[in-house]
Amino acid sequence: MRGLRKRYGDVDAVNGVDLDVRQGEVFALLGPNGAGKSTAVEILEGHRRRTAGEVSVLGADPARAGRDWRARIGIVPQTSAENPQLTVREMVRHFASYYPRPRDPDEVIEAVGLAEQAGRRVGRLSGGQRRRVDVALGIIGDPELLFLDEPTTGFDPDARRRFWELIQGLAHDGTTILLTTHYLDEAEALADRVGVIAAGRMLAVDTPARLGGRATATARVSWRDPDGPRHIDTASPTQVVAELSAKFGGEVPELAVTRPSLEDVYLEMIGAVR
Ligand code: ADP
């Protein structure tokens, strides 16, 4: 997208955003509520008209693209319209019939980890299992590009880990993924790059490790000496560790070197635009 704008009345929901997501990449869009994430994603999906700017998704303008284009993308929306009466297998098979070249429904059910629940009614599944059905419906058309809107909201930590493995598997198989999330650990675990959007503007785009200068930020070296816990904030942590190692004559008790977390730099960024 180039210079993407969306205005609702006198609100600039998206206010001049440029962004490139590369083929095969997992890209996470981060930002507080009202930042403009959903609006931007819905424009990319062809579900919302833009006010101005250029957009190209898989080589087509989503505002004009047709059914062939739509069959190449997959969407996992925040809330989905599942039929609780259908079984998982019936639901997935039904959606497969919408696509010209769908994946095998049983393979997809297996891939999302629902093989054991395939014959169960969707209405009887747990929240995490239903979310897996959503993903199954999003990938049944064998999309080149998958949109995932806050995919793990409400998951327990174990379900979230398993979901991440599923997404990593799709990415490994070459699916390009655009993800929105409120979980910084999720962005860090899954995304090749993240974009931080606030008040309709893109504040930064970088890898999770480098965002906001994290990779070169001052580090904190902490350890325990006989008097208790100690720390030093330093631009040259390797040097400090070498000195501590010499001082202790080997292992430094409870040694840790930390830099600002993704959450730290994210909160600082969005705090600055408030
Ligand atoms: P996010 O997904 O980051 O929470 P949204 O894209 O939903 O942000 O919203 C961005 C801004 O646009 C907000 O100020 C929101 O109130 C406004 N907005 C979103 N959708 C509409 C709409 N259909 N009509 C009017 N204003 C809207």
Side-chain angles (χ1 to χ4, degrees), residues 209 213-220 234-238 257-262 264:
R214 276 178 81 197
T216 49
T218 301
R220 170 162 294 192
T234 173
S236 47
T238 311
V257 179
T258 53
R259 298 195 192 264
S261 68
L262 186 59
D264 292 335

Side-chain angles (χ1 to χ4, degrees), residues 27-38:
F27 192 95
L29 209 46
L30 307 175
N33 290 329
K37 301 182 296 298
S38 304

Side-chain angles (χ1 to χ4, degrees), residues 26-138:
V26 179
F27 192 95
L29 209 46
L30 307 175
N33 290 329
K37 301 182 296 298
S38 304
T39 300
V41 169
E42 285 167 12
I43 290 169
L44 294 173
E45 293 168 348
H47 286 160
R48 215 172 266 274
R49 292 295 167 127
R50 59 190 184 265
T51 306
E54 298 297 318
V55 183
S56 172
V57 176
L58 300 178
D61 179 343
R64 280 190 277 270
R67 285 182 66 117
D68 291 349
W69 176 84
R70 190 148 289 286
R72 295 167 63 202
I73 69 170
I75 299 177
V76 179
Q78 246 174 63
T79 48
S80 46
E82 285 159 354
N83 185 334
Q85 299 302 328
L86 295 183
T87 67
V88 172
R89 188 179 289 113
E90 287 166 344
M91 188 93 198
V92 174
R93 282 191 180 158
H94 177 64
F95 269 70
S97 70
Y98 294 159
Y99 293 91
R101 281 172 303 280
R103 294 176 61 170
D104 178 71
D106 288 323
E107 266 176 43
V108 167
I109 290 168
E110 170 84 38
V112 300
L114 288 175
E116 279 175 32
Q117 290 80 22
R120 199 173 294 173
R121 288 181 203 277
V122 171
R124 305 209 148 221
L125 300 177
S126 72
Q129 289 168 338
R130 279 196 196 204
R131 211 66 187 114
R132 284 163 175 265
V133 175
D134 294 340
V135 176
L137 303 183

Side-chain angles (χ1 to χ4, degrees), residues 156-191:
D156 67 33
D158 178 51
R160 171 169 295 138
R161 282 295 158 104
R162 281 187 280 135
F163 192 86
W164 289 355
E165 284 167 16
L166 166 61
I167 300 309
Q168 283 160 341
L170 291 172
H172 182 262
D173 293 341
T175 312
T176 306
I177 296 173
L178 181 65
L179 159 87
T180 68
T181 183
H182 282 299
Y183 299 113
L184 283 299
D185 59 342
E186 183 158 285
E188 193 145 32
L190 294 180

